[in-house]
Amino acid sequence: MEVSVLIPAAGNGERLGLGPKAFLRVGGRTLLEWALAAFPEAAEVLVALPPGQSPPQGLRAAFLEGGRTRQESVARLLEAASLPLVLVHDVARPFVSQSLVERVLRATQAQGAAAPVLPVPDTLIRSEGGAYGSVLPREALRLVQTPQGFFTALLREAHAYARKRGISATDDAQLVQALGYPVALVEGERTAFKITYPEDLVLAEALARAWNGSPQAR
Ligand code: CTP
Ligand code: MG
């Protein structure tokens, strides 16, 4: 797979409160190990770690120091990427199937930028003064996941544009979109959820047991 996998893993996991997520263990391995296992055929894997963190030994990846925000961490990873395609994947999403990676990669090759998305299952409202406010039509709304794929040159341009204009974003597709370039959508996966809050860890532990024994997942 002639692609650079970029893993922003430099966050402090503040909402979870258990330190940097990269080193958090789920089902007997760290979230960083889970993330690497999702890309067994990647020609290059680059990981941004929290400043001052010494890189773990024995992993098939190169390490660099992340920035103050996710966007800065990805910008640094992008500088180091040496292949024409990149897949950017949050370390906080351990359960990524091979078919999801393939879908994202195919759409990226065809269209230059791709992100996995899911429909929103719950009713969405605006909270107004702490009370149940107006309902938001959810048909066109999507939850955005990673891995997201891009032509490396395009994502570099999008990051440079954002830096110049002071745009900050929580994912990379947003920056490409802000540049005026369309991002293709592919079907995401419920299991590729981001471990953000303590309850997510309980779900992840349970899923890790099923995942390890699931041949189609890996
Ligand atoms: N990230 C990063 N560099 C930062 C901040 C975040 O590389 N300065 C990464 C995280 O490691 C994670 C991804 O961005 O893989 C998504 O972030 P999130 O779920 O918000 O993780 P944290 O920032 O670690 O958590 P929190 O916001 O609760 O502190
Ligand atoms: Mg964060």
Side-chain angles (χ1 to χ4, degrees), residues 69-89:
T69 62
R70 181 189 187 280
Q71 189 170 327
E72 275 182 33
S73 296
V74 174
R76 292 184 183 193
L77 290 164
L78 263 177
E79 272 175 39
S82 69
L83 296 168
L85 288 187
V86 289
L87 287 175
V88 184
H89 181 60

Side-chain angles (χ1 to χ4, degrees), residues 59-145:
L59 297 184
R60 203 182 53 86
F63 296 90
L64 53 81
E65 197 168 283
R68 277 179 299 113
T69 62
R70 181 189 187 280
Q71 189 170 327
E72 275 182 33
S73 296
V74 174
R76 292 184 183 193
L77 290 164
L78 263 177
E79 272 175 39
S82 69
L83 296 168
L85 288 187
V86 289
L87 287 175
V88 184
H89 181 60
D90 292 330
V91 80
R93 298 180 190 272
F95 307 110
V96 171
S97 75
Q98 292 309 291
S99 58
L100 176 56
V101 173
E102 280 158 26
R103 273 200 299 286
V104 171
L105 208 49
R106 269 198 305 274
T108 304
Q109 278 157 342
Q111 303 187 58
V117 298
L118 288 173
V120 181
D122 302 305
T123 299
L124 272 179
I125 60 158
R126 199 179 300 280
S127 155
E128 285 160 15
Y132 201 108
S134 49
V135 173
L136 304 174
R138 66 180 180 201
E139 290 66 33
L141 298 181
R142 296 290 180 270
L143 301 169
V144 183
Q145 302 183 312

